[in-house]
Amino acid sequence: MFRNQYDTDVTTWSPAGRLFQVEYAMEAVKQGSAAIGLRSKTHVVLACVNKTNSELSSHQKKIFKVDDHIGVAIAGLTADGRVLSRYMRSECINYNYTYESPLPVGRLVVQLADKAQVCTQRSWKRPYGVGLLVGGLDESGAHLYYNCPSGNYFEYQAFAIGSRSQAAKTYLERRFESFKDSTREDLIKDALIATRETLQGEKLRSSICTIAVLGAGEAFHILDQETVQKLIDEFEIVAEEEVPAAEPGPDADQDAAPAEGSAAAEGTPADQGAAAEEGAAPMDI
């Protein structure tokens, strides 16, 4: 993206009907570390990649608890994400104080989208440079929403945002039909595999990812590193056991040699020997 005469103000339209500062905010989401969300009928799992600016620094928190039944994962400008998560927390507290019941997830997402939209229509403000995956559970079931800096919001079965998120989206698109009936453990496994897809060959470890779970009878909470590492080890062991099973073992090669020798000995003419060798197909071995 290049600077032009139509991006000095968020309220200035280009001749093509575009608001460039809003597009720049959406680009900031693509540059942030990846965040992934999945949901079934009863559970929601959020995952994110922990990115550090230096080996000497700690990573910034990317998953926030809003209420016992709502949590968010962010990608983009972390400071904006903290402000919006605090706003969501205040809305949940006020609603619970007034009506003595949890705030429905859909209503909170609409309020958040309205707050983001105001920043696209005021010249003295700028759009929030952060995308939020909002996971929640209410009377109508489990929900997963994506809130965009433009003020749009969408509900998903599974979604990924941030840098290199396309690889995770490809995996989720292949598997999303089974998510609705998935168990808690299966959702966590799929979230870890999708997170691994965004690392571009880097080994997945509990120190570079965060997993949060929310479900029926289970308040929103972030899994500790030891639990995440155990789950990663279990999934990698299963993958390693499946690979040798598909490869032919050395015994098969040893059995193949006597079979070829006996086939050649049985054929007296040269053409019969050739036919016998042609009959010794790999399927017979």
Side-chain angles (χ1 to χ4, degrees), residues 200-259:
Q200 285 189 338
E202 185 180 354
K203 185 177 180 181
L204 179 64
R205 305 185 307 275
S206 61
S207 59
I208 61 174
C209 69
T210 303
I211 304 292
V213 183
L214 165 69
E218 183 178 10
F220 182 88
H221 66 286
I222 298 175
L223 301 181
D224 58 80
Q225 285 194 1
E226 294 181 0
T227 303
V228 174
Q229 188 59 50
K230 288 180 182 178
L231 293 169
I232 293 173
D233 294 338
E234 288 178 7
F235 301 149
E236 289 184 348
I237 289 172
V238 171
E240 291 174 358
E241 289 177 350
E242 291 175 352
V243 173
E247 297 177 355
D251 296 338
D253 296 335
Q254 294 176 2
D255 295 341

CSV table of all heavy atoms in Angstrom, one decimal, residues 200-259:
chain,number,residue,atom,x,y,z
A,200,GLN,N,5.3,-22.1,9.8
A,200,GLN,CA,6.2,-22.3,8.7
A,200,GLN,C,7.4,-23.1,9.0
A,200,GLN,O,8.6,-22.7,8.9
A,200,GLN,CB,6.6,-21.0,8.1
A,200,GLN,CG,5.5,-20.2,7.3
A,200,GLN,CD,6.1,-19.0,6.6
A,200,GLN,OE1,7.1,-18.5,7.0
A,200,GLN,NE2,5.4,-18.6,5.6
A,201,GLY,N,7.2,-24.3,9.5
A,201,GLY,CA,8.3,-25.3,9.8
A,201,GLY,C,8.8,-25.2,11.2
A,201,GLY,O,9.5,-26.1,11.6
A,202,GLU,N,8.5,-24.2,11.9
A,202,GLU,CA,9.0,-24.1,13.3
A,202,GLU,C,8.3,-25.1,14.2
A,202,GLU,O,7.1,-25.3,14.0
A,202,GLU,CB,8.8,-22.7,13.8
A,202,GLU,CG,9.4,-22.4,15.2
A,202,GLU,CD,9.2,-21.0,15.7
A,202,GLU,OE1,8.7,-20.2,14.9
A,202,GLU,OE2,9.5,-20.7,16.9
A,203,LYS,N,9.0,-25.7,15.1
A,203,LYS,CA,8.4,-26.7,15.9
A,203,LYS,C,7.5,-26.1,16.9
A,203,LYS,O,7.7,-25.1,17.5
A,203,LYS,CB,9.5,-27.5,16.7
A,203,LYS,CG,9.0,-28.7,17.5
A,203,LYS,CD,10.1,-29.4,18.2
A,203,LYS,CE,9.5,-30.6,19.0
A,203,LYS,NZ,10.6,-31.4,19.7
A,204,LEU,N,6.3,-26.7,17.1
A,204,LEU,CA,5.3,-26.2,18.0
A,204,LEU,C,5.6,-26.6,19.4
A,204,LEU,O,5.9,-27.7,19.7
A,204,LEU,CB,3.9,-26.8,17.6
A,204,LEU,CG,2.7,-26.3,18.5
A,204,LEU,CD1,2.5,-24.9,18.4
A,204,LEU,CD2,1.5,-27.1,18.1
A,205,ARG,N,5.7,-25.6,20.3
A,205,ARG,CA,6.0,-25.8,21.7
A,205,ARG,C,5.0,-24.9,22.5
A,205,ARG,O,4.4,-24.0,22.0
A,205,ARG,CB,7.4,-25.3,22.0
A,205,ARG,CG,8.5,-26.0,21.2
A,205,ARG,CD,9.9,-25.6,21.7
A,205,ARG,NE,10.0,-24.1,21.8
A,205,ARG,CZ,10.4,-23.4,20.7
A,205,ARG,NH1,10.6,-23.9,19.5
A,205,ARG,NH2,10.5,-22.0,20.9
A,206,SER,N,4.8,-25.3,23.8
A,206,SER,CA,3.9,-24.6,24.6
A,206,SER,C,4.3,-23.2,24.9
A,206,SER,O,3.5,-22.4,25.3
A,206,SER,CB,3.7,-25.4,25.9
A,206,SER,OG,4.9,-25.5,26.6
A,207,SER,N,5.6,-22.9,24.8
A,207,SER,CA,6.1,-21.6,25.1
A,207,SER,C,5.8,-20.6,24.0
A,207,SER,O,5.8,-19.4,24.2
A,207,SER,CB,7.6,-21.6,25.2
A,207,SER,OG,8.3,-22.1,24.1
A,208,ILE,N,5.4,-21.0,22.8
A,208,ILE,CA,5.1,-20.1,21.7
A,208,ILE,C,3.6,-20.1,21.3
A,208,ILE,O,3.2,-19.6,20.3
A,208,ILE,CB,5.9,-20.4,20.5
A,208,ILE,CG1,5.6,-21.8,19.9
A,208,ILE,CG2,7.4,-20.2,20.8
A,208,ILE,CD1,6.4,-22.1,18.6
A,209,CYS,N,2.8,-20.7,22.1
A,209,CYS,CA,1.3,-20.7,21.8
A,209,CYS,C,0.5,-20.7,23.1
A,209,CYS,O,1.0,-21.1,24.2
A,209,CYS,CB,0.9,-21.9,21.0
A,209,CYS,SG,1.0,-23.5,21.8
A,210,THR,N,-0.7,-20.2,23.0
A,210,THR,CA,-1.6,-20.1,24.2
A,210,THR,C,-2.9,-20.7,23.8
A,210,THR,O,-3.4,-20.4,22.7
A,210,THR,CB,-1.8,-18.6,24.7
A,210,THR,OG1,-0.5,-18.1,25.0
A,210,THR,CG2,-2.7,-18.6,25.9
A,211,ILE,N,-3.5,-21.5,24.6
A,211,ILE,CA,-4.8,-22.2,24.4
A,211,ILE,C,-5.8,-21.8,25.5
A,211,ILE,O,-5.4,-21.9,26.7
A,211,ILE,CB,-4.7,-23.7,24.3
A,211,ILE,CG1,-3.6,-24.1,23.2
A,211,ILE,CG2,-6.0,-24.3,24.0
A,211,ILE,CD1,-4.1,-23.8,21.8
A,212,ALA,N,-7.0,-21.4,25.1
A,212,ALA,CA,-8.0,-21.1,26.1
A,212,ALA,C,-9.3,-21.9,25.7
A,212,ALA,O,-9.6,-22.1,24.5
A,212,ALA,CB,-8.4,-19.6,26.1
A,213,VAL,N,-10.0,-22.4,26.7
A,213,VAL,CA,-11.2,-23.2,26.5
A,213,VAL,C,-12.4,-22.7,27.3
A,213,VAL,O,-12.2,-22.1,28.4
A,213,VAL,CB,-10.9,-24.7,27.0
A,213,VAL,CG1,-12.0,-25.6,26.8
A,213,VAL,CG2,-9.6,-25.2,26.4
A,214,LEU,N,-13.5,-22.8,26.7
A,214,LEU,CA,-14.8,-22.4,27.3
A,214,LEU,C,-15.8,-23.4,26.9
A,214,LEU,O,-15.9,-23.9,25.7
A,214,LEU,CB,-15.2,-21.0,26.8
A,214,LEU,CG,-16.6,-20.6,27.0
A,214,LEU,CD1,-16.9,-20.3,28.5
A,214,LEU,CD2,-16.9,-19.3,26.2
A,215,GLY,N,-16.7,-23.9,27.8
A,215,GLY,CA,-17.6,-24.9,27.5
A,215,GLY,C,-18.8,-25.0,28.5
A,215,GLY,O,-18.8,-24.2,29.5
A,216,ALA,N,-19.7,-25.9,28.2
A,216,ALA,CA,-20.8,-26.1,29.1
A,216,ALA,C,-20.3,-26.6,30.5
A,216,ALA,O,-19.7,-27.7,30.5
A,216,ALA,CB,-21.8,-27.0,28.5
A,217,GLY,N,-20.6,-25.9,31.5
A,217,GLY,CA,-20.1,-26.3,32.8
A,217,GLY,C,-18.6,-26.0,33.1
A,217,GLY,O,-18.1,-26.5,34.1
A,218,GLU,N,-18.0,-25.3,32.1
A,218,GLU,CA,-16.6,-25.0,32.2
A,218,GLU,C,-16.4,-23.5,31.9
A,218,GLU,O,-16.6,-23.1,30.8
A,218,GLU,CB,-15.8,-25.9,31.3
A,218,GLU,CG,-14.3,-25.7,31.3
A,218,GLU,CD,-13.6,-26.6,30.4
A,218,GLU,OE1,-14.2,-27.2,29.5
A,218,GLU,OE2,-12.3,-26.7,30.5
A,219,ALA,N,-16.0,-22.7,32.9
A,219,ALA,CA,-15.8,-21.3,32.7
A,219,ALA,C,-14.6,-21.0,31.8
A,219,ALA,O,-13.7,-21.9,31.7
A,219,ALA,CB,-15.7,-20.6,34.0
A,220,PHE,N,-14.6,-19.9,31.2
A,220,PHE,CA,-13.4,-19.5,30.3
A,220,PHE,C,-12.1,-19.5,31.1
A,220,PHE,O,-12.0,-18.9,32.2
A,220,PHE,CB,-13.7,-18.2,29.7
A,220,PHE,CG,-12.6,-17.8,28.7
A,220,PHE,CD1,-12.6,-18.1,27.4
A,220,PHE,CD2,-11.5,-17.0,29.2
A,220,PHE,CE1,-11.7,-17.8,26.5
A,220,PHE,CE2,-10.5,-16.6,28.3
A,220,PHE,CZ,-10.6,-17.0,26.9
A,221,HIS,N,-11.1,-20.2,30.6
A,221,HIS,CA,-9.8,-20.2,31.3
A,221,HIS,C,-8.7,-20.6,30.3
A,221,HIS,O,-9.0,-21.2,29.3
A,221,HIS,CB,-9.8,-21.2,32.5
A,221,HIS,CG,-9.9,-22.7,32.0
A,221,HIS,ND1,-11.1,-23.2,31.6
A,221,HIS,CD2,-9.0,-23.7,31.9
A,221,HIS,CE1,-10.9,-24.5,31.3
A,221,HIS,NE2,-9.6,-24.8,31.5
A,222,ILE,N,-7.5,-20.1,30.6
A,222,ILE,CA,-6.4,-20.4,29.8
A,222,ILE,C,-5.6,-21.6,30.3
A,222,ILE,O,-5.3,-21.7,31.5
A,222,ILE,CB,-5.5,-19.2,29.7
A,222,ILE,CG1,-6.2,-18.0,29.1
A,222,ILE,CG2,-4.2,-19.4,28.9
A,222,ILE,CD1,-5.4,-16.7,29.1
A,223,LEU,N,-5.3,-22.5,29.5
A,223,LEU,CA,-4.6,-23.7,29.9
A,223,LEU,C,-3.1,-23.4,30.2
A,223,LEU,O,-2.5,-22.6,29.5
A,223,LEU,CB,-4.6,-24.8,28.8
A,223,LEU,CG,-6.0,-25.3,28.3
A,223,LEU,CD1,-5.8,-26.4,27.3
A,223,LEU,CD2,-6.8,-25.8,29.5
A,224,ASP,N,-2.6,-24.0,31.3
A,224,ASP,CA,-1.2,-23.7,31.6
A,224,ASP,C,-0.3,-24.4,30.7
A,224,ASP,O,-0.7,-25.3,29.9
A,224,ASP,CB,-0.9,-24.2,33.1
A,224,ASP,CG,-1.2,-25.7,33.2
A,224,ASP,OD1,-0.4,-26.5,32.9
A,224,ASP,OD2,-2.3,-26.0,33.8
A,225,GLN,N,1.0,-24.0,30.7
A,225,GLN,CA,2.0,-24.5,29.7
A,225,GLN,C,2.2,-26.0,29.8
A,225,GLN,O,2.4,-26.7,28.8
A,225,GLN,CB,3.3,-23.7,29.8
A,225,GLN,CG,3.3,-22.3,29.3
A,225,GLN,CD,4.7,-21.7,29.2
A,225,GLN,OE1,5.7,-22.4,29.4
A,225,GLN,NE2,4.7,-20.5,28.7
A,226,GLU,N,2.2,-26.5,31.0
A,226,GLU,CA,2.5,-28.0,31.2
A,226,GLU,C,1.4,-28.8,30.5
A,226,GLU,O,1.7,-29.8,29.8
A,226,GLU,CB,2.6,-28.3,32.7
A,226,GLU,CG,3.8,-27.7,33.4
A,226,GLU,CD,3.8,-28.1,34.9
A,226,GLU,OE1,2.9,-28.8,35.3
A,226,GLU,OE2,4.8,-27.6,35.5
A,227,THR,N,0.1,-28.4,30.7
A,227,THR,CA,-1.0,-29.1,30.1
A,227,THR,C,-0.9,-29.0,28.6
A,227,THR,O,-1.1,-30.0,27.9
A,227,THR,CB,-2.3,-28.5,30.6
A,227,THR,OG1,-2.4,-28.6,32.0
A,227,THR,CG2,-3.5,-29.3,30.0
A,228,VAL,N,-0.6,-27.8,28.0
A,228,VAL,CA,-0.5,-27.7,26.6
A,228,VAL,C,0.6,-28.5,26.0
A,228,VAL,O,0.5,-29.2,25.0
A,228,VAL,CB,-0.3,-26.2,26.2
A,228,VAL,CG1,0.0,-26.0,24.7
A,228,VAL,CG2,-1.5,-25.4,26.6
A,229,GLN,N,1.8,-28.6,26.7
A,229,GLN,CA,2.9,-29.3,26.2
A,229,GLN,C,2.6,-30.8,26.2
A,229,GLN,O,3.0,-31.6,25.3
A,229,GLN,CB,4.1,-29.1,27.1
A,229,GLN,CG,5.4,-29.7,26.6
A,229,GLN,CD,5.8,-29.2,25.2
A,229,GLN,OE1,5.8,-28.0,24.9
A,229,GLN,NE2,6.0,-30.1,24.2
A,230,LYS,N,1.9,-31.3,27.3
A,230,LYS,CA,1.5,-32.7,27.3
A,230,LYS,C,0.6,-33.0,26.1
A,230,LYS,O,0.7,-34.1,25.4
A,230,LYS,CB,0.7,-33.0,28.6
A,230,LYS,CG,1.6,-33.1,29.8
A,230,LYS,CD,0.8,-33.4,31.0
A,230,LYS,CE,1.7,-33.4,32.3
A,230,LYS,NZ,0.9,-33.7,33.5
A,231,LEU,N,-0.4,-32.2,25.8
A,231,LEU,CA,-1.2,-32.4,24.6
A,231,LEU,C,-0.4,-32.4,23.3
A,231,LEU,O,-0.7,-33.2,22.4
A,231,LEU,CB,-2.3,-31.3,24.6
A,231,LEU,CG,-3.3,-31.3,25.7
A,231,LEU,CD1,-4.2,-30.0,25.7
A,231,LEU,CD2,-4.2,-32.5,25.6
A,232,ILE,N,0.5,-31.5,23.2
A,232,ILE,CA,1.4,-31.4,22.0
A,232,ILE,C,2.1,-32.7,21.8
A,232,ILE,O,2.2,-33.3,20.7
A,232,ILE,CB,2.3,-30.2,22.0
A,232,ILE,CG1,1.5,-28.9,21.9
A,232,ILE,CG2,3.3,-30.3,20.9
A,232,ILE,CD1,2.3,-27.7,22.1
A,233,ASP,N,2.7,-33.2,22.9
A,233,ASP,CA,3.5,-34.5,22.9
A,233,ASP,C,2.6,-35.6,22.5
A,233,ASP,O,3.0,-36.5,21.7
A,233,ASP,CB,4.1,-34.7,24.2
A,233,ASP,CG,5.2,-33.7,24.6
A,233,ASP,OD1,5.7,-33.0,23.6
A,233,ASP,OD2,5.5,-33.5,25.8
A,234,GLU,N,1.4,-35.7,23.0
A,234,GLU,CA,0.5,-36.8,22.7
A,234,GLU,C,0.2,-36.8,21.2
A,234,GLU,O,0.2,-37.8,20.5
A,234,GLU,CB,-0.8,-36.7,23.5
A,234,GLU,CG,-0.6,-37.0,24.9
A,234,GLU,CD,-1.9,-36.8,25.7
A,234,GLU,OE1,-3.0,-36.6,25.0
A,234,GLU,OE2,-1.9,-37.0,26.9
A,235,PHE,N,-0.1,-35.6,20.6
A,235,PHE,CA,-0.5,-35.6,19.2
A,235,PHE,C,0.7,-35.9,18.3
A,235,PHE,O,0.6,-36.5,17.3
A,235,PHE,CB,-1.0,-34.2,18.9
A,235,PHE,CG,-2.2,-33.8,19.7
A,235,PHE,CD1,-2.5,-32.5,20.0
A,235,PHE,CD2,-3.1,-34.8,20.1
A,235,PHE,CE1,-3.6,-32.1,20.8
A,235,PHE,CE2,-4.2,-34.4,20.9
A,235,PHE,CZ,-4.4,-33.1,21.2
A,236,GLU,N,1.9,-35.5,18.7
A,236,GLU,CA,3.1,-35.8,17.9
A,236,GLU,C,3.4,-37.2,17.9
A,236,GLU,O,3.9,-37.8,17.0
A,236,GLU,CB,4.3,-34.9,18.3
A,236,GLU,CG,4.1,-33.4,18.0
A,236,GLU,CD,5.3,-32.6,18.4
A,236,GLU,OE1,6.2,-33.2,19.1
A,236,GLU,OE2,5.4,-31.5,17.9
A,237,ILE,N,3.2,-37.9,19.1
A,237,ILE,CA,3.5,-39.3,19.2
A,237,ILE,C,2.5,-40.1,18.3
A,237,ILE,O,2.9,-41.0,17.6
A,237,ILE,CB,3.3,-39.8,20.7
A,237,ILE,CG1,4.5,-39.2,21.5
A,237,ILE,CG2,3.2,-41.3,20.7
A,237,ILE,CD1,4.3,-39.5,23.0
A,238,VAL,N,1.3,-39.7,18.2
A,238,VAL,CA,0.3,-40.4,17.3
A,238,VAL,C,0.8,-40.2,15.9
A,238,VAL,O,0.7,-41.2,15.1
A,238,VAL,CB,-1.1,-39.8,17.5
A,238,VAL,CG1,-2.0,-40.3,16.5
A,238,VAL,CG2,-1.6,-40.2,18.9
A,239,ALA,N,1.2,-39.0,15.5
A,239,ALA,CA,1.6,-38.8,14.1
A,239,ALA,C,2.9,-39.6,13.8
A,239,ALA,O,3.0,-40.2,12.7
A,239,ALA,CB,1.9,-37.3,13.9
A,240,GLU,N,3.8,-39.8,14.7
A,240,GLU,CA,5.0,-40.6,14.5
A,240,GLU,C,4.7,-42.1,14.4
A,240,GLU,O,5.3,-42.8,13.6
A,240,GLU,CB,6.0,-40.3,15.6
A,240,GLU,CG,6.6,-38.9,15.6
A,240,GLU,CD,7.5,-38.7,16.8
A,240,GLU,OE1,7.6,-39.6,17.6
A,240,GLU,OE2,8.1,-37.6,16.8
A,241,GLU,N,3.7,-42.5,15.1
A,241,GLU,CA,3.3,-43.9,15.0
A,241,GLU,C,2.6,-44.3,13.7
A,241,GLU,O,2.8,-45.4,13.2
A,241,GLU,CB,2.4,-44.3,16.2
A,241,GLU,CG,3.1,-44.3,17.5
A,241,GLU,CD,2.2,-44.6,18.7
A,241,GLU,OE1,0.9,-44.6,18.4
A,241,GLU,OE2,2.6,-44.8,19.8
A,242,GLU,N,2.0,-43.3,13.1
A,242,GLU,CA,1.2,-43.6,11.9
A,242,GLU,C,2.2,-43.6,10.7
A,242,GLU,O,2.0,-44.4,9.7
A,242,GLU,CB,0.2,-42.5,11.6
A,242,GLU,CG,-1.0,-42.5,12.6
A,242,GLU,CD,-1.9,-41.4,12.5
A,242,GLU,OE1,-1.6,-40.5,11.7
A,242,GLU,OE2,-3.0,-41.4,13.1
A,243,VAL,N,3.3,-42.9,10.7
A,243,VAL,CA,4.2,-42.9,9.6
A,243,VAL,C,4.9,-44.2,9.3
A,243,VAL,O,4.9,-44.7,8.2
A,243,VAL,CB,5.3,-41.8,9.8
A,243,VAL,CG1,6.3,-41.8,8.7
A,243,VAL,CG2,4.6,-40.4,9.8
A,244,PRO,N,5.6,-44.9,10.3
A,244,PRO,CA,6.2,-46.2,10.0
A,244,PRO,C,5.2,-47.3,9.6
A,244,PRO,O,5.6,-48.2,8.9
A,244,PRO,CB,6.9,-46.6,11.4
A,244,PRO,CG,7.0,-45.3,12.1
A,244,PRO,CD,5.8,-44.5,11.7
A,245,ALA,N,4.0,-47.2,10.0
A,245,ALA,CA,3.0,-48.2,9.6
A,245,ALA,C,2.8,-48.2,8.1
A,245,ALA,O,2.5,-49.2,7.5
A,245,ALA,CB,1.7,-48.0,10.4
A,246,ALA,N,2.9,-47.1,7.5
A,246,ALA,CA,2.6,-47.0,6.1
A,246,ALA,C,3.8,-47.4,5.2
A,246,ALA,O,3.7,-47.7,4.1
A,246,ALA,CB,2.2,-45.6,5.7
A,247,GLU,N,5.1,-47.4,5.8
A,247,GLU,CA,6.2,-47.8,5.1
A,247,GLU,C,6.5,-49.3,5.1
A,247,GLU,O,6.2,-50.0,6.1
A,247,GLU,CB,7.5,-47.1,5.7
A,247,GLU,CG,7.4,-45.6,5.6
A,247,GLU,CD,8.6,-44.9,6.3
A,247,GLU,OE1,9.4,-45.7,6.9
A,247,GLU,OE2,8.7,-43.7,6.2
A,248,PRO,N,6.9,-49.9,4.0
A,248,PRO,CA,7.2,-51.3,4.0
A,248,PRO,C,8.4,-51.6,4.8
A,248,PRO,O,9.4,-50.9,4.8
A,248,PRO,CB,7.5,-51.6,2.5
A,248,PRO,CG,7.9,-50.3,1.9
A,248,PRO,CD,7.1,-49.3,2.7
A,249,GLY,N,8.4,-52.7,5.6
A,249,GLY,CA,9.4,-53.0,6.5
A,249,GLY,C,10.5,-53.8,5.8
A,249,GLY,O,10.4,-54.3,4.6
A,250,PRO,N,11.7,-54.1,6.4
A,250,PRO,CA,12.8,-54.8,5.8
A,250,PRO,C,12.4,-56.3,5.6
A,250,PRO,O,12.9,-56.9,4.7
A,250,PRO,CB,13.9,-54.7,6.8
A,250,PRO,CG,13.2,-54.3,8.1
A,250,PRO,CD,12.0,-53.6,7.8
A,251,ASP,N,11.5,-56.8,6.4
A,251,ASP,CA,11.0,-58.2,6.2
A,251,ASP,C,10.4,-58.4,4.9
A,251,ASP,O,10.5,-59.5,4.3
A,251,ASP,CB,10.1,-58.7,7.3
A,251,ASP,CG,10.8,-58.6,8.7
A,251,ASP,OD1,12.0,-58.7,8.7
A,251,ASP,OD2,10.1,-58.5,9.7
A,252,ALA,N,9.7,-57.4,4.4
A,252,ALA,CA,9.0,-57.5,3.1
A,252,ALA,C,10.0,-57.7,2.0
A,252,ALA,O,9.8,-58.4,1.0
A,252,ALA,CB,8.1,-56.4,2.9
A,253,ASP,N,11.1,-56.9,2.1
A,253,ASP,CA,12.1,-57.0,1.1
A,253,ASP,C,12.8,-58.4,1.1
A,253,ASP,O,13.2,-58.9,0.0
A,253,ASP,CB,13.2,-55.9,1.3
A,253,ASP,CG,12.6,-54.5,1.2
A,253,ASP,OD1,11.5,-54.4,0.5
A,253,ASP,OD2,13.1,-53.6,1.7
A,254,GLN,N,13.0,-58.9,2.3
A,254,GLN,CA,13.7,-60.2,2.4
A,254,GLN,C,12.8,-61.3,1.8
A,254,GLN,O,13.2,-62.3,1.2
A,254,GLN,CB,14.0,-60.6,3.8
A,254,GLN,CG,15.1,-59.6,4.4
A,254,GLN,CD,15.4,-59.9,5.8
A,254,GLN,OE1,14.8,-60.8,6.4
A,254,GLN,NE2,16.3,-59.1,6.4
A,255,ASP,N,11.5,-61.2,2.0
A,255,ASP,CA,10.5,-62.2,1.5
A,255,ASP,C,10.4,-62.1,0.0
A,255,ASP,O,10.1,-63.1,-0.7
A,255,ASP,CB,9.1,-62.0,2.1
A,255,ASP,CG,9.1,-62.3,3.6
A,255,ASP,OD1,10.1,-63.0,4.1
A,255,ASP,OD2,8.2,-61.8,4.3
A,256,ALA,N,10.7,-60.9,-0.5
A,256,ALA,CA,10.5,-60.7,-2.0
A,256,ALA,C,11.7,-61.4,-2.7
A,256,ALA,O,11.4,-61.9,-3.8
A,256,ALA,CB,10.6,-59.2,-2.3
A,257,ALA,N,12.9,-61.5,-2.2
A,257,ALA,CA,14.0,-62.1,-2.9
A,257,ALA,C,13.8,-63.6,-3.1
A,257,ALA,O,14.0,-64.0,-4.3
A,257,ALA,CB,15.3,-61.8,-2.1
A,258,PRO,N,13.4,-64.4,-2.1
A,258,PRO,CA,13.2,-65.8,-2.4
A,258,PRO,C,12.0,-66.0,-3.4
A,258,PRO,O,12.0,-66.9,-4.2
A,258,PRO,CB,12.9,-66.4,-1.0
A,258,PRO,CG,13.4,-65.4,0.0
A,258,PRO,CD,13.4,-64.1,-0.7
A,259,ALA,N,11.0,-65.1,-3.3
A,259,ALA,CA,9.9,-65.3,-4.2
A,259,ALA,C,10.3,-65.1,-5.6
A,259,ALA,O,9.9,-65.8,-6.5
A,259,ALA,CB,8.8,-64.3,-3.8
